[in-house]
Amino acid sequence: MELKPKFGLDQLLFGMKQKDVESLFGKADSVFKDEDDNQILLYNALKARLTFYQEEDFRLGYIIISNPEIRLFNQKVIGQDLIEVKSFLEKKGFTLSEEEVFDSVTNYFNEENWIILQAEFGQVIKVEMGAIIKNQDEFDWKFKA
């Protein structure tokens, strides 16, 4: 599966509704609401957490994934050496400029593409990717229903 910055993950596009996602992946293993009343779908086999924003008519706005088969620019990232992944991404012009440390976990953020690589013990363990905001207050939805 290929992460597509600003767009989504393979056929999964930012802006999809839950029914659109379920037509691709079937029913989620778990569904719940978070503290902001957003709809969260968990897919165990995919190792993915999908967030549908309540304030945006429940459109897919955020993806968290730890599936070892996902690729970014056709390279696997989960379970890979952080330094090698960062070096590879920098050669692609994809800079991870901001860094946040939480105990043994460090997040590396690329604001332009709204992607976070999370690393622990020198390996990438998770990728978070969100829909891009345009015009300061409107999402750039890629799925046109």
Side-chain angles (χ1 to χ4, degrees):
M1 299 185 81
E2 184 74 21
L3 288 165
K4 298 176 181 175
K6 300 180 184 179
F7 286 85
L9 175 67
D10 271 349
Q11 303 162 307
L12 192 64
L13 297 175
F14 290 121
M16 284 182 158
K17 300 281 188 109
Q18 183 173 339
K19 66 178 176 53
D20 303 310
V21 172
E22 288 176 342
S23 73
L24 292 173
F25 299 119
K27 294 277 186 197
D29 294 291
S30 182
V31 178
F32 61 93
K33 301 253 182 179
D34 68 8
E35 65 277 356
D36 296 320
D37 214 27
N38 297 316
Q39 185 85 353
I40 309 296
L41 273 63
L42 300 180
Y43 284 91
N44 295 343
L46 189 59
K47 296 185 186 219
R49 179 186 194 268
L50 309 178
T51 302
F52 297 81
Y53 294 145
Q54 181 269 335
E55 291 184 358
E56 296 293 329
D57 197 28
F58 293 100
R59 292 178 179 265
L60 175 63
Y62 207 75
I63 299 167
I64 300 174
I65 191 159
S66 59
N67 187 316
E69 297 305 313
I70 63 162
R71 296 175 174 273
L72 182 59
F73 303 116
N74 205 31
Q75 291 286 321
K76 287 186 177 183
V77 291
I78 302 297
Q80 304 303 307
D81 181 82
L82 173 66
I83 294 169
E84 290 175 15
V85 171
K86 284 177 70 176
S87 175
F88 167 76
L89 292 176
E90 286 173 4
K91 289 176 185 169
K92 295 285 188 184
F94 193 96
T95 305
L96 298 167
S97 56
E98 295 183 38
E99 187 177 310
E100 266 185 312
V101 178
F102 304 95
D103 192 29
S104 64
V105 175
T106 305
N107 288 341
Y108 298 89
F109 183 52
N110 176 279
E111 186 173 6
E112 180 183 346
N113 295 286
W114 210 263
I115 291 182
I116 296 170
L117 292 184
Q118 190 174 84
E120 185 174 40
F121 306 116
Q123 285 190 333
V124 178
I125 60 170
K126 187 185 325 182
V127 177
E128 298 186 23
M129 186 166 64
I132 301 297
I133 297 175
K134 61 180 181 179
N135 304 330
Q136 298 293 353
D137 63 348
E138 188 178 318
F139 283 96
D140 183 14
W141 299 121
K142 298 304 181 183
F143 183 76
K144 309 297 182 201

